[in-house]
């Protein structure tokens, strides 16, 4: 920073914007901020300078400078209203988040800000920064620390009855429990978020977030039709806002269609007016899976998983459901291949299905244990022996029915005898 300051006027801001290089603009804006004047007009110009400076530092990927800027601005925060301070601090933290590879820096920056807000007794700002910190810790897979932070914060916010922040925190807690595979608690937190949201006006983006999380939880319970409805609601909200999360909502809608064996609808949704806006690798991946499912082809399925690994394997939600779908498809194909035989070599089945022998052997043994078909593995001969379906003996259901009828007769006789004795 230069030792000589510039006057906090619109001319200084114009001079910074007209500078030849970003570095020169940044230098001018720093000099404007050094101006000691506390006049209302000077403070307004300084606020504008901070906004322009943080934008430039973000564009130049100077995350460390953004962090030090927050520390340098603390004397300035002492002379402006707390609401404006909160807006500036959150804006700078958001700018740091837009710079790639700054996850650890964001966490340490949020922790610094939390300490400062505690010392300054700025409760409103601290709660929001703590919620942001919990979200960052969750993204960094530091689940226990995030959960501890949220459990204390949620009690505090409930006492203050800050409904809008409560919706954010409950939704975040739901995502955190889902990441820990604790579905009952994830559903309970989502219900709490919905209850708080019903009492206030919720911005469309946040409502889209709630619907997206609802869809994910319903899909986890295999209720794909309800999940599809929620994903559709989320897609409409994000699409209207031109939010990048719209493509993920659409992707999960297609996943639901595939999981309920309606893969033929996928091409129609993609070619619709709304779908055409998001054509790209995400939708191409789902179309490839839908084609493989429609043709019941494991080979095409594996090709899709290989060609679209970032879109399918690296998305934990899609990956979990596709693993289940792959197992179902594999079982269906194996049952169809085994059906004509009474005894068949495992090697022959592996050749027919075009999969490794050990993989087929493992799956067949699992299917026998799960009673998907009756048979046994003769590992010495490397063969699978298939038994005929055992015929149900009609005597058992008839006997059960007879015993049930006798029970009814005994009960009615007991009632009659009780009336006589009375």
């Amino acid at each position: 920073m230069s030792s000589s300051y510039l006057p906090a006027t619109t001319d200084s801001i114009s001079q910074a914007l007209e500078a030849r290089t970003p570095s020169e603009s940044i230098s001018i804006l720093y000099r404007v901020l050094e101006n000691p004047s506390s006049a209302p007009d000077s403070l307004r110009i300084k606020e504008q300078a901070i906004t322009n400076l943080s934008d430039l530092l973000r564009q130049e990927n100077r995350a460390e400078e953004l962090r030090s800027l927050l520390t340098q601005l603390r004397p300035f925060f002492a002379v402006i209203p707390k609401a404006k301070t909160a807006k500036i601090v959150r804006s700078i933290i958001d700018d740091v988040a837009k710079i790639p590879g700054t996850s650890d820096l964001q966490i340490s920056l949020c922790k610094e800000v939390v300490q400062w807000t505690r010392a300054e007794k700025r409760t409103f700002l601290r709660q929001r920064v703590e919620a942001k910190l919990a979200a960052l810790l969750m993204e960094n897979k530091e689940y226990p620390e995030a959960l501890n932070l949220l459990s204390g914060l949620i009690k505090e916010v409930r006492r203050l009855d800050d409904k809008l922040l409560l919706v954010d925190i409950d939704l975040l807690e739901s995502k955190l429990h889902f990441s820990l595979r604790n579905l009952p608690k994830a559903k309970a937190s989502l219900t709490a978020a919905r209850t708080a949201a019903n009492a206030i006006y919720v911005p469309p983006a946040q409502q889209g977030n709630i619907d997206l999380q609802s869809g994910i939880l319903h899909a986890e319970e295999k209720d794909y039709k309800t999940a599809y409805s929620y994903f559709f609601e989320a897609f409409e909200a994000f699409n209207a806002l031109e939010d990048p999360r719209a493509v993920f909502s659409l992707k999960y809608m297609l996943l639901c269609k595939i999981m309920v064996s309606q893969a033929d609808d996928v091409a129609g949704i993609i070619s619709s007016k709304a779908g055409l806006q998001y054509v790209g690798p995400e939708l191409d991946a789902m179309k490839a899976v839908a084609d493989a499912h429609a043709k019941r082809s494991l080979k095409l399925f594996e090709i899709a998983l290989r060609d679209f690994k970032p879109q399918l394997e690296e998305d934990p939600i899609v990956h979990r459901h596709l693993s289940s779908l792959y197992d179902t498809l594999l079982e269906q194909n194996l049952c169809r291949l085994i059906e004509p035989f009474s005894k068949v070599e495992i090697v022959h089945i592996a050749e027919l299905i075009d999969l490794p022998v050990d993989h087929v052997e493992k799956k067949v043994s699992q299917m026998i244990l799960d009673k998907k078909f009756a048979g046994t593995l003769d590992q010495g001969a490397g063969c699978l022996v298939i038994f005929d379906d055992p015929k149900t003996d009609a005597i058992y259901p008839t006997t059960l029915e007879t015993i049930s009828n006798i029970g009814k007769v005994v009960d009615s006789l007991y009632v009659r005898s009780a009336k006589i004795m009375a």
Side-chain angles (χ1 to χ4, degrees):
M1 287 172 66
S2 172
S3 56
S4 59
Y5 61 80
L6 287 175
T9 60
T10 49
D11 290 339
S12 299
I13 300 292
S14 302
Q15 186 185 342
L17 296 175
E18 290 164 9
R20 287 171 296 177
T21 62
S23 297
E24 194 178 333
S25 297
I26 290 167
S27 174
I28 293 167
L29 291 168
Y30 270 128
R31 289 168 66 193
V32 171
L33 293 178
E34 281 186 319
N35 191 307
S37 172
S38 296
D41 287 345
S42 298
L43 293 177
R44 185 175 50 79
I45 294 297
K46 283 183 187 179
E47 284 171 35
Q48 192 179 341
I50 291 165
T51 305
N52 293 339
L53 179 58
S54 62
D55 284 343
L56 284 167
L57 291 173
R58 174 180 54 79
Q59 288 164 19
E60 294 293 299
N61 290 342
R62 288 154 74 164
E64 280 292 348
E65 280 197 44
L66 276 168
R67 178 183 183 169
S68 59
L69 175 64
L70 262 182
T71 311
Q72 291 162 20
L73 288 173
R74 284 179 188 175
F76 175 69
F77 293 151
V79 295
I80 63 171
K82 287 186 177 181
K84 285 188 177 178
T85 300
K87 185 181 175 184
I88 292 168
V89 170
R90 290 169 68 190
S91 170
I92 292 174
I93 291 172
D94 289 343
D95 281 335
V96 174
K98 289 172 187 171
I99 299 172
T102 57
S103 177
D104 292 337
L105 178 67
Q106 288 176 63
I107 290 171
S108 63
L109 175 59
C110 285
K111 285 179 178 176
E112 276 179 25
V113 172
V114 166
Q115 285 177 353
W116 174 71
T117 50
R118 280 189 189 281
E120 294 287 317
K121 294 185 171 61
R122 294 176 184 253
T123 308
F124 178 86
L125 176 58
R126 174 180 58 77
Q127 289 169 347
R128 276 147 184 80
V129 176
E130 280 185 336
K132 173 77 174 173
L133 176 58
L136 290 167
L137 289 168
M138 186 183 74
E139 284 173 21
N140 226 28
K141 297 187 177 176
E142 295 177 31
Y143 301 129
E145 193 179 345
L147 205 54
N148 286 338
L149 182 61
L150 274 185
S151 59
L153 182 60
I154 204 160
K155 288 175 189 171
E156 190 181 335
V157 175
R158 276 186 183 143
R159 278 201 307 272
L160 294 171
D161 202 29
D162 185 344
K163 290 271 194 288
L164 191 57
L165 182 57
L166 196 57
V167 172
D168 289 340
I169 296 169
D170 282 330
L171 187 58
L172 184 58
E173 191 180 37
S174 175
K175 290 177 182 177
L176 187 54
H177 285 305
F178 177 74
S179 301
L180 291 166
R181 313 298 306 133
N182 191 336
L183 289 184
K185 284 194 175 181
K187 286 174 69 180
S189 297
L190 182 63
T191 304
R194 281 192 170 283
T195 306
N198 287 339
I200 54 164
Y201 168 75
V202 177
Q206 188 65 310
Q207 187 59 53
N209 257 330
I210 293 171
D211 289 332
L212 187 61
Q213 182 67 6
S214 300
I216 290 168
L217 292 180
H218 278 283
E220 196 65 27
E221 294 181 323
K222 313 291 182 194
D223 184 0
Y224 293 109
K225 287 187 178 177
T226 310
Y228 179 87
S229 304
Y230 279 118
F231 288 137
F232 181 72
E233 292 291 334
F235 171 71
E236 285 203 318
F238 292 139
N239 184 41
L241 297 166
E242 297 182 357
D243 191 301
R245 285 171 293 185
V247 71
F248 294 104
S249 304
L250 183 55
K251 179 182 174 182
Y252 299 149
M253 282 166 59
L254 300 179
L255 175 68
C256 290
K257 284 290 182 186
I258 294 167
M259 295 305 291
V260 293
S261 301
Q262 293 177 2
D264 296 339
D265 295 351
V266 168
I269 294 170
I270 292 172
S271 59
S272 67
K273 186 180 176 183
L276 287 171
Q277 297 176 46
Y278 299 98
V279 169
E282 300 289 347
L283 300 194
D284 290 343
M286 298 316 293
K287 190 173 186 303
V289 171
D291 290 342
H293 185 266
K295 293 173 184 173
R296 300 192 177 281
S297 167
L298 283 170
K299 194 169 184 67
L300 287 175
F301 201 105
E302 288 185 339
I303 289 169
L305 290 175
R306 188 184 67 238
D307 292 350
F308 297 99
K309 189 175 179 181
Q311 291 78 25
L312 301 176
E313 294 279 334
E314 292 172 18
D315 185 327
I317 293 158
V318 172
H319 175 65
R320 194 176 297 117
H321 293 291
L322 288 188
S323 298
S324 162
L325 182 66
Y326 180 82
D327 278 349
T328 307
L329 202 56
L330 178 56
E331 285 174 7
Q332 288 172 352
N333 279 328
L334 282 171
C335 286
R336 196 170 69 242
L337 290 172
I338 290 164
E339 196 176 3
F341 301 102
S342 59
K343 187 174 183 180
V344 60
E345 290 183 343
I346 299 289
V347 178
H348 181 59
I349 299 172
E351 284 172 1
L352 289 174
I353 205 166
D354 198 15
L355 286 173
V357 177
D358 57 340
H359 184 48
V360 171
E361 189 175 341
K362 185 180 175 184
K363 188 65 190 171
V364 165
S365 62
Q366 186 188 325
M367 288 169 71
I368 292 170
L369 290 171
D370 291 344
K371 297 184 179 179
K372 297 286 170 70
F373 68 89
T376 184
L377 274 171
D378 184 349
Q379 287 184 311
C383 290
L384 170 66
V385 181
I386 297 100
F387 305 143
D388 292 333
D389 289 333
K391 291 179 182 176
T392 0
D393 197 334
I395 195 166
Y396 295 114
T398 312
T399 307
L400 285 170
E401 192 180 347
T402 307
I403 291 168
S404 173
N405 288 333
I406 291 169
K408 286 175 186 174
V409 170
V410 170
D411 289 343
S412 65
L413 288 171
Y414 175 76
V415 171
R416 284 185 184 183
S417 66
K419 283 179 182 176
I420 292 166
M421 293 297 289

